[in-house]
Amino acid sequence: MAISMTEAAARHVNRYLSRRGKGVGVRLGVKTTGCSGLAYKLEYVDEILPDDVVFEDQGIKVLVDPKSLAYIDGTVLDFVREGLNEGFKFTNPNERDRCGCGESFRI
């Protein structure tokens, strides 16, 4: 499988990297936190680390550390606007449950 992104997510990342004037893509991973155990982390990155697994979709590189890949393999990254709020949305086929506040998930 792989990590992929929607057109909306690719446009948003591309716009942000252009405004920044640098960057190779985004790093997607998980961290231990919250009431369900895991939370997504996403950051813009300027360099590819030696152990990064690199996926490319719609011209955008998505970097994942090997430990996180087991939890997020097959995830689709989207960028959504709902009313006044906007942000990234993760559609993860491995996710089995999500906490009530929406901050963490369980596999």
Side-chain angles (χ1 to χ4, degrees), residues 46-77:
D46 296 330
E47 63 182 280
I48 298 172
L49 299 176
D51 63 340
D52 281 336
V53 179
V54 181
F55 300 98
E56 188 164 340
D57 191 17
Q58 302 189 50
I60 304 293
K61 286 182 175 52
V62 180
L63 314 173
V64 181
D65 68 271
K67 290 180 184 177
S68 293
L69 187 57
Y71 300 106
I72 59 175
D73 195 17
T75 296
V76 177
L77 180 61

Side-chain angles (χ1 to χ4, degrees), residues 1 4 12-13 21 30 32 46 50 59 68-69 80 89 93-94 99 102 105:
M1 294 185 87
S4 60
H12 180 77
V13 170
V30 295
T32 304
D46 296 330
S68 293
L69 187 57
V80 296
K89 177 182 173 188
N94 305 303
C99 73
F105 67 98

